[in-house]
Amino acid sequence: MTDETKTLSHGRLLTRFAQLGPYLRQNKCSEEGYFFDCLSACVNAKKSPESREFWGWWMEISPKEGGFEYAYTFGKFDTVGEWKEENVPNKSSTEVKASLDAFYSKITDFVEGELGLEITAKPSLKQPKLGSAA
């Protein structure tokens, strides 16, 4: 671990995480954790834009000694702007999982490649670990 990664501030991390794509929700981040999400598939595109809900995922990443821990959840982003844990229907499942895999690749490349730290699943993770053969 370099001196730079030891002293990477919360503000600098927010800036770098934001560069990974449209996943970071800065208003839900703090020094204790970072919130990412993705609205992967529209539930009903025939509804007006303000009434649409989306299938997707959200992930929380928390700093720990030597890196970060993550947990993610699949669900529905409702019209109020809140995530609800739900099973994603089969017709949207592939798209949602592909977007999570794409993000995981980006966050892993950044944390492990650029920062020289590790990113691991939180022990409380209910879903399969990302990046495994599962």
Side-chain angles (χ1 to χ4, degrees):
M1 190 158 64
T2 67
D3 287 337
E4 181 183 342
T5 57
K6 285 182 187 175
T7 59
L8 206 54
S9 70
H10 171 65
R12 289 197 50 156
L13 275 174
L14 283 175
T15 299
R16 298 292 289 134
F17 284 149
Q19 292 172 350
L20 298 177
Y23 306 101
L24 182 70
R25 297 273 181 166
Q26 288 195 25
N27 61 335
K28 292 188 173 194
C29 295
S30 70
E31 290 186 25
E32 289 80 42
Y34 300 88
F35 189 91
F36 303 86
D37 67 2
C38 182
L39 311 178
S40 302
C42 188
V43 172
N44 186 346
K46 293 178 183 173
K47 290 186 176 183
S48 62
E50 63 277 357
S51 300
R52 291 183 186 156
E53 297 177 310
F54 294 86
W55 296 112
W57 55 265
W58 67 98
M59 178 184 287
E60 295 178 71
I61 296 176
S62 305
K64 67 167 192 159
E65 185 67 34
F68 295 89
E69 286 184 321
Y70 71 86
Y72 67 95
T73 309
F74 294 110
K76 184 190 289 183
F77 191 79
D78 65 21
T79 56
V80 183
E82 297 292 327
W83 280 107
K84 306 289 183 223
E85 185 173 353
E86 279 188 45
N87 290 329
V88 176
N90 287 341
K91 70 177 186 170
S92 300
S93 180
T94 302
E95 187 177 350
V96 170
K97 288 178 180 172
S99 67
L100 178 58
D101 288 343
F103 172 72
Y104 182 71
S105 177
K106 289 179 182 185
I107 194 81
T108 301
D109 287 350
F110 171 64
V111 171
E112 294 179 351
E114 292 186 41
L115 298 181
L117 302 172
E118 68 175 1
I119 185 164
T120 57
K122 289 184 181 182
S124 61
L125 180 67
K126 298 174 192 168
Q127 307 280 357
K129 290 180 181 179
L130 296 172
S132 66

